[in-house]
Amino acid sequence: MDLTLIKTQTIYAEWLTDKQLSLDVLRLDEVDNVVSGNKWFKLKYYLHEARVGRFSTVASFGGAWSNHIVAIAYAARSAGLKSIGVIRGEKPAAVSYTLAMAMEYGMDLHFVTREQYRRKEEIQQRLPNESVYWIDEGGYGAAGVKGASEILKTIDVLPYNYFIAAVGTGTMLAGLIVASAASQTIVGISSMKGNYSLEQRVRALIGVQHESKIFDIKHEYHFGGYGRHPPDLITFINDTYHRHHLPLDIIYTGKTFFAIKDMAQKNLFKPGSRILMIHSGGLQGNKSLPDKLLAF
Ligand SMILES: *Cc1c(COP(=O)(O)O)cnc(C)c1O
């Protein structure tokens, strides 16, 4: 992965200038077409631990369109490790694009029923434990936070007043909080409906050292729930692409960009502020849509 490819894109729009705001997007998506930018950062120290601990294999859990799974497959291969993906749901006749890519990167896939998927410990016990390094679903954990904190080292982030990013497990958000200065505000946009334990889970990740940092998780931009992408979201993503040449994904970043616009229009940012949105990637997941629904 060539992290020097990472740059920012400035968004020019009336809804920003009207409120004296500026918005830059940190294009982690440009790191790779398939591997989500934020996953690459989050996985770095897990892979490091696996190698230091002399594990031969890394393994984790995910769905058929999981950015996490395909990123592990890629990162493990780059680190010279084998990888196992435990996939939720019975093996379909034709696997998703995501899983096909994961297999291409050498991942060994294990399909389990939704019932079995819930009992993760049983699955873990069935595999030869001493040689397998398990990464939590979504990469939640301290090593993930450490890796994600390096996202804000890719550019000069001092001028920004707000960092805004999509939230799944909250690991990336915790990394941003840890890496930010006390005067900067971090806003997370939850892609799930009613996942109110997130605040607590993020607090647990950042630890007492950063407990005075300001962060805010918005729960009203889920568009119906995790993985839901109603027509108004698709229209918004297409419109954003036409106006700004900014490709967004349907699970995370589309909802986040929508939230920024809505929050700007509702005067939720202090006038004169500079905002940095983290484009966390995820574009490969758009391939789950029927052809031609998206303009890119
Ligand atoms: C996984 C993912 C997220 C969420 O990251 P968390 O650390 O789990 O909160 C956001 N955006 C994209 C594109 C992702 O793939």
Side-chain angles (χ1 to χ4, degrees):
M1 285 283 147
D2 185 359
L3 300 184
T4 63
L5 285 176
I6 298 172
K7 51 183 174 17
T8 57
Q9 174 183 351
T10 302
I11 302 298
Y12 300 96
E14 265 177 28
W15 53 268
L16 290 163
T17 45
D18 280 355
K19 308 288 182 182
Q20 296 151 49
L21 298 170
S22 80
L23 172 62
D24 291 343
V25 179
L26 185 66
R27 298 286 306 268
L28 299 187
D29 59 305
E30 292 188 328
V31 167
D32 190 87
N33 285 334
V34 177
V35 179
S36 268
N38 81 327
K39 296 294 184 290
W40 182 249
F41 284 90
K42 282 204 299 182
L43 290 172
K44 177 176 169 187
Y45 289 103
Y46 288 115
L47 287 158
H48 181 72
E49 284 180 11
R51 279 174 64 180
V52 169
R54 300 193 176 281
F55 291 87
S56 66
T57 308
V58 290
S60 193
F61 300 88
W65 294 97
S66 167
N67 294 323
H68 172 66
I69 285 291
V70 70
I72 288 188
Y74 182 96
R77 192 186 63 171
S78 314
L81 295 164
K82 290 187 278 188
S83 65
I84 294 174
V86 178
I87 310 302
R88 183 180 57 234
E90 316 256 6
K91 184 171 186 189
V95 299
S96 65
Y97 172 81
T98 309
L99 297 183
M101 290 307 293
M103 285 164 78
E104 205 169 297
Y105 298 141
M107 183 176 256
D108 195 2
L109 300 180
H110 292 254
F111 291 88
V112 299
T113 64
R114 280 161 193 276
E115 243 286 280
Q116 288 169 324
Y117 190 83
R118 260 175 253 131
R119 299 196 299 270
K120 296 199 168 53
E121 272 147 44
E122 280 177 31
I123 298 170
Q124 288 174 323
Q125 277 155 17
R126 263 191 281 137
L127 286 157
N129 252 333
E130 64 285 357
S131 59
V132 179
Y133 182 89
W134 285 94
I135 300 174
D136 268 4
E137 189 173 19
Y140 180 87
V145 175
K146 187 176 176 198
S149 73
E150 296 182 1
I151 290 172
L152 294 189
K153 295 197 180 121
T154 56
I155 58 157
D156 176 16
V157 295
L158 227 62
Y160 295 100
N161 308 99
Y162 293 91
F163 301 118
I164 306 203
V167 176
T169 63
T171 309
M172 170 171 58
L173 200 75
L176 301 178
I177 295 168
V178 165
S180 64
S183 59
Q184 296 171 315
T185 301
I186 297 90
V187 181
I189 309 300
S190 176
S191 58
M192 286 173 220
K193 187 174 177 174
N195 188 12
Y196 300 120
S197 65
L198 267 176
E199 276 80 358
Q200 199 42 51
R201 286 169 64 79
V202 170
R203 290 223 170 273
L205 286 174
I206 61 176
V208 287
Q209 202 190 334
H210 298 280
E211 66 186 1
S212 60
K213 296 262 179 82
I214 309 162
F215 74 92
D216 185 12
I217 299 178
K218 300 286 181 201
H219 294 279
E220 60 268 41
Y221 297 109
H222 54 73
F223 280 83
Y226 187 77
R228 298 289 169 86
H229 42 77
D232 51 337
L233 179 63
I234 301 291
T235 303
F236 179 76
I237 289 175
N238 279 333
D239 189 53
T240 302
Y241 187 75
H242 285 131
R243 283 170 200 267
H244 308 294
H245 281 276
L246 179 68
L248 298 165
D249 85 290
I250 55 175
I251 310 287
Y252 293 105
T253 55
K255 297 176 183 182
T256 300
F257 196 82
F258 181 92
I260 295 172
K261 184 174 179 186
D262 189 63
M263 289 173 68
Q265 288 169 334
K266 289 179 175 154
N267 301 312
L268 296 180
F269 301 110
K270 249 177 84 190
S273 294
R274 293 191 63 178
I275 304 164
L276 183 72
M277 168 178 158
I278 315 300
H279 190 318
S280 39
L283 295 174
Q284 65 87 23
N286 286 354
K287 290 210 169 22
S288 67
L289 293 174
D291 263 4
K292 303 206 171 71
L293 206 51
L294 289 180
F296 54 93

